[in-house]
Amino acid sequence: MTSISMSVNGKAVSGDVEDRTLLVQFIREDLRLTGTHVGCDTSQCGACVVHVDGKAVKSCTMLAVQASGSEVTTIEGLANGGDLHPLQTAFKENHGLQCGFCTPGMIMSAADMIARYKASGSKLDEKAIREELEGNICRCTGYHNIVRSIEDAAAKMS
Amino acid sequence: MYETKYQRASNVEDAAKMLAATDDGKFISGGQTLIPTMKQRLAAPSDLIDVRNIDAMKGIAVDGSNVSIGAAATHAEVANSNDVHKACPALCDLAGMIGDPHVRHMGTIGGSIANNDPAADYPAAMIALNAQITTSKRTIGADDFFTDLFETALEEDEIVTSITFQAPSKAAYAKFPNPASRYAMAGVFVAQVEDGAARVGVTGAGSSGVFRHGEMEAALSKDWSEAAIKNCKVDEAAMLSDLHGNAAYRANLVKVMAKRAVAAAG
């Protein structure tokens, strides 16, 4: 067992984990933050995307020990108390989810891409959003409204 | 995943020592290939020595036509580097085609070439750019570095620390990705280097991993055009054949990707 500590959603957390523990296991099973999902076992679906030190990563493809000392943000960290994050509102208003399983990963990926495009000054248009979602799979195949939700939120966040 | 023991190295020397003290340890960088492989129990290293946080392996430096990329530079860092873009935009394009945005935030150039997956993108660029691969022990030319499928000239405790190359006068990478995995079914990096000499690196297709295509290089060195490689032969017997595509299909893809790359390089 190894002692790890990190900041999750602005709160200092620590725990003793086996070195083989995946970051997503630590988040879900130790911290009981079950908004981050595991949709596949092959690093492809993106349901587990969280931000580590400000960058979107697949938490099923990173060990918890690798993230020790880092700042992690999960879907639970986006809303400000009772006020939803603009992306959460946009997904609600644009019917951006059907079963909802992929939604946490979609929203965390969207938050990352919006921030990156804003920082670089390039335009996040529909084509760019679709390319950026390459690592996120929606098995309801509801991509159209997911893309619209992200476009809507990006406009409101600019 | 089988049990393993994790240690984080703060410099290259310590990393080599840590590895030498293990039974069957492996270096881990971004882990975007190694962790999925361990999850499938296809790899079971006794120890993982994390080299991702070693400062000396970070960063990108471009000085005139000399490009130097730290082994721990992520694919996202290479893809978005203005300096690399000025020197060799084709390498930025290639880095931006690897995996997906999340994978690119973690995966590193050093990890990719040390793993030498036959369908990885970077090896094609390394041999086409005649890159020099600096390790904890020596500098190895890309032609001598990639030896076979998942095999390199690296010794067990040897770590890739940086990659250097001269900016080509023109270059481009064309890739036909597997629609599910995004790995190359065939990827061709073409570069015009010193004195107009052409180099052609092919990944994804060869049964012994990445290779140079001599006939196309000779043709393009004389005449940099799609037409120049029209009659070049790609040997089917040297191609991979699997459920994603047979050897004949891949041989044809190599030619098509080479033409597209030559056209894109202009």
Side-chain angles (χ1 to χ4, degrees):
Chain A
M1 301 289 262
T2 298
S3 294
I4 59 169
S5 56
M6 63 187 80
S7 156
V8 176
N9 301 330
K11 211 173 102 191
V13 299
S14 57
D16 292 320
V17 298
E18 281 192 280
D19 290 5
R20 63 177 161 175
T21 306
L22 298 169
L23 177 60
V24 71
Q25 289 175 299
F26 180 67
I27 289 169
R28 286 179 55 85
E29 294 166 23
D30 291 42
L31 304 180
R32 308 299 295 166
L33 293 171
T34 54
T36 302
H37 290 169
V38 179
C40 71
D41 216 7
T42 49
S43 310
Q44 284 168 311
C45 82
C48 68
V49 169
V50 301
H51 297 180
V52 175
D53 296 326
K55 294 191 173 83
V57 303
K58 291 179 167 171
S59 62
C60 78
T61 312
M62 184 174 193
L63 299 172
V65 284
Q66 282 179 291
S68 189
S70 290
E71 288 186 14
V72 177
T73 307
T74 69
I75 187 72
E76 288 91 344
L78 285 193
N80 184 8
D83 298 330
L84 292 180
H85 184 277
L87 269 163
Q88 292 170 311
T89 305
F91 270 66
K92 187 178 161 194
E93 289 177 351
N94 292 281
H95 191 196
L97 60 154
Q98 292 182 45
C99 85
F101 195 90
C102 72
T103 312
M106 289 288 178
I107 289 183
M108 296 311 286
S109 300
D112 175 75
M113 78 175 79
I114 289 171
R116 276 190 285 116
Y117 275 70
K118 210 170 167 181
S120 72
S122 34
K123 183 158 169 49
L124 185 63
D125 57 12
E126 184 192 332
K127 183 171 177 285
I129 293 170
R130 288 183 183 275
E131 276 179 12
E132 287 285 336
L133 286 178
E134 197 160 17
N136 293 81
I137 296 173
C138 166
R139 284 297 73 149
C140 305
T141 68
Y143 294 104
H144 187 68
N145 285 350
I146 290 170
V147 173
R148 281 180 54 182
S149 303
I150 297 172
E151 272 185 299
D152 183 17
K156 286 176 181 154
M157 289 165 73
S158 63
Chain B
M1 190 186 299
Y2 292 109
E3 275 189 59
T4 189
K5 196 168 167 298
Y6 171 91
Q7 295 178 77
R8 197 178 286 186
S10 54
N11 62 59
V12 175
E13 296 74 32
D14 283 356
K17 276 185 206 149
M18 285 174 179
L19 192 92
T22 67
D23 285 342
D24 185 20
K26 269 197 189 305
F27 295 116
I28 183 168
S29 183
Q32 300 301 286
T33 301
L34 183 54
I35 292 177
T37 311
M38 290 173 68
K39 282 165 69 176
Q40 292 177 71
R41 297 191 170 185
L42 295 171
S46 62
D47 295 73
L48 292 174
I49 312 299
D50 191 347
V51 298
R52 192 168 66 103
N53 301 292
I54 297 177
D55 285 339
M57 287 167 57
K58 291 183 182 173
I60 294 169
V62 179
D63 179 13
S65 62
N66 294 315
V67 182
S68 176
I69 301 174
T74 63
H75 308 324
E77 285 165 355
V78 174
N80 297 316
S81 164
N82 289 332
D83 290 340
V84 177
H85 197 268
K86 277 180 209 144
C88 183
L91 194 67
C92 300
D93 294 343
L94 176 149
M97 288 183 214
I98 301 172
D100 58 50
H102 325 310
V103 168
R104 294 195 287 273
H105 281 148
M106 284 295 287
T108 65
I109 186 168
S112 172
I113 64 174
N115 188 49
N116 192 19
D117 188 307
D121 299 293
Y122 270 128
M126 296 297 102
I127 59 168
L129 293 167
N130 197 18
Q132 300 297 304
I133 293 155
T134 302
T135 75
S136 48
K137 299 184 177 183
R138 56 193 163 141
T139 296
I140 310 169
D143 283 338
D144 299 321
F145 183 85
F146 302 104
T147 53
D148 208 338
L149 304 179
F150 300 102
E151 297 282 341
T152 67
L154 290 173
E155 291 166 17
E156 280 299 311
D157 61 344
E158 190 171 11
I159 308 166
V160 177
T161 56
S162 68
I163 290 94
T164 52
F165 62 89
Q166 294 290 309
S169 44
K170 53 186 169 184
Y173 180 60
K175 169 185 181 177
F176 190 91
N178 177 307
S181 72
R182 312 301 189 211
Y183 274 100
M185 298 271 296
V188 179
F189 197 104
V190 296
Q192 191 177 60
V193 294
E194 284 169 72
D195 308 324
R199 290 175 68 100
V200 177
V202 182
T203 191
S207 57
S208 302
V210 68
F211 66 92
R212 285 172 64 189
H213 198 287
E215 193 187 345
M216 288 194 209
E217 289 186 353
L220 291 169
S221 295
K222 278 193 214 126
D223 170 19
W224 184 277
S225 70
E226 280 180 80
I229 52 174
K230 205 175 102 195
N231 297 320
C232 289
K233 298 270 182 300
V234 179
D235 183 9
E236 285 179 26
M239 294 292 112
L240 282 168
S241 190
D242 57 26
L243 78 168
H244 303 301
N246 65 22
Y249 180 71
R250 276 197 166 85
N252 189 56
L253 269 186
V254 169
K255 186 92 161 275
V256 175
M257 291 303 115
K259 283 187 188 168
R260 284 187 190 172
V262 169

